[in-house]
Amino acid sequence: MSKDKEFNQIEYQNNYIKEKYDRINLLVKKGMKEAIKEKAKSMGMSVNEYISFLINKDIQKNK
């Protein structure tokens, strides 16, 4: 493989994420970010997993 055609892991991951996921930017009041991080950690989740979990739970509840 030539140098300019080497596998680029970061580019591959970014393209995969772009293809498979939607991105949502979330704004929270000052201080909430740390509270969210702590709660997610206490549940053994990342912040993204925790927020997704809550949204999915709410959607399922309201079906």
Side-chain angles (χ1 to χ4, degrees), residues 30-42:
K30 286 274 189 193
M32 286 298 298
K33 180 179 177 181
E34 280 305 313
I36 294 167
K37 285 171 75 172
E38 288 175 21
K39 182 63 178 177
K41 184 177 179 182
S42 76

Side-chain angles (χ1 to χ4, degrees), residues 21-57:
Y21 295 92
D22 288 326
R23 183 171 293 277
I24 298 173
N25 292 326
L26 175 67
L27 299 174
V28 295
K29 289 187 178 186
K30 286 274 189 193
M32 286 298 298
K33 180 179 177 181
E34 280 305 313
I36 294 167
K37 285 171 75 172
E38 288 175 21
K39 182 63 178 177
K41 184 177 179 182
S42 76
M43 295 182 71
M45 298 178 178
S46 68
V47 170
N48 188 71
E49 288 172 319
Y50 176 62
I51 292 170
S52 293
F53 166 78
L54 293 175
I55 292 168
N56 286 325
K57 184 176 163 183

Side-chain angles (χ1 to χ4, degrees), residues 1-13:
M1 234 183 226
S2 69
K3 253 195 172 191
D4 54 318
K5 297 220 181 203
E6 286 183 23
F7 181 72
N8 184 328
Q9 181 71 30
I10 294 171
E11 183 179 349
Y12 174 81
Q13 288 173 324

